[in-house]
Amino acid sequence: MVRILVPFHLARLGDRIVGLDAYFWGQLSERYRVVLLVHPAENLLDERDATGCKLPVNVTFEEQLRDIEEVSEIRTPRPKLPRIGPGKRLLTLLMPAMIIYQELKAAMKLVEVPEEAQARNLAKMLRNLEPLNVLGYAVFERQGDLILPAREGTMKRIYSELASRDEGYRQACLDAIRRCKA
């Protein structure tokens, strides 16, 4: 099986080193999903140790920072909170406050935060990235018409989810397979 190596720009985020996917970054259908392409550097190989088919860098670190800034400024509507109808308001006079609190708490669990809002919050945390001007590589393997991280874990789950949601990612996988003749 051909090892496909995806390049990552390494950067410092506080006291941690992270990698920003430099191959798939510009190819996602939804721009706000780029924040999903930032991973801890411990998942990456040093350039000296990276053997296999290396994919090209498709985006500069500066472009990645610009994208993160744009995502951090996305405006999304606030999720609608459950309303208390007139009947429940009347019950609040008759029922202990704790029962009403429990009902509201259960209703709040049903409120979903839009994907864009989650991305915006992640992007805000990523604003202070400092470039290290070094590349790291993640090892990916072909799985049908996709390439996914070889190691099990969070990174593989994220890329698998991208494969199910993002057409741009799936197309970039096909391009990588052709490029590496995997």
Side-chain angles (χ1 to χ4, degrees), residues 103-169:
E103 283 187 30
L104 280 175
K105 190 173 173 183
M108 289 292 288
K109 288 182 180 177
L110 300 175
V111 175
E112 287 189 30
V113 178
E115 193 177 355
E116 295 92 337
Q118 292 176 26
R120 181 191 63 229
N121 292 337
L122 279 171
K124 286 180 180 180
M125 292 188 300
L126 296 172
R127 282 179 166 170
N128 298 320
L129 290 168
E130 299 172 37
L132 296 178
N133 301 315
V134 177
L135 288 178
Y137 288 88
V139 178
F140 278 54
E141 295 175 339
R142 181 177 179 177
Q143 295 182 7
D145 289 342
L146 299 173
I147 62 168
L148 295 170
R151 288 180 57 194
E152 292 296 327
T154 304
M155 192 171 175
K156 188 167 192 166
R157 285 192 300 275
I158 288 170
Y159 280 88
S160 295
E161 190 62 31
L162 276 174
S164 70
R165 291 181 183 211
D166 197 283
E167 179 59 35
Y169 176 79

Side-chain angles (χ1 to χ4, degrees), residues 7-13 16-22 25 34-44 61 64 126 129 132 134-137 155 159:
F8 282 73
H9 291 289
L10 297 182
R12 183 176 309 285
L13 180 62
R16 298 192 66 195
I17 305 295
V18 297
L20 290 77
D21 184 318
W25 191 278
V34 296
V35 296
L36 298 174
L37 302 179
V38 179
H39 298 280
E42 56 259 18
N43 295 331
L44 307 175
F61 183 77
Q64 290 176 312
L126 296 172
L129 290 168
L132 296 178
V134 177
L135 288 178
Y137 288 88
M155 192 171 175
Y159 280 88

Side-chain angles (χ1 to χ4, degrees), residues 30-83:
E30 298 292 344
R31 297 305 313 141
Y32 61 84
R33 290 185 178 140
V34 296
V35 296
L36 298 174
L37 302 179
V38 179
H39 298 280
E42 56 259 18
N43 295 331
L44 307 175
L45 297 175
D46 186 278
E47 191 158 14
R48 299 182 299 273
D49 302 327
T51 58
C53 177
K54 289 183 181 176
L55 294 174
V57 171
N58 288 334
V59 64
T60 66
F61 183 77
E62 290 72 26
E63 290 169 318
Q64 290 176 312
L65 285 180
R66 203 170 27 254
D67 288 346
I68 287 170
E69 186 63 34
E70 286 176 19
V71 172
S72 74
E73 295 172 359
I74 289 176
R75 299 281 179 235
T76 58
R78 290 181 175 250
K80 293 194 179 201
L81 300 177
R83 297 230 180 252

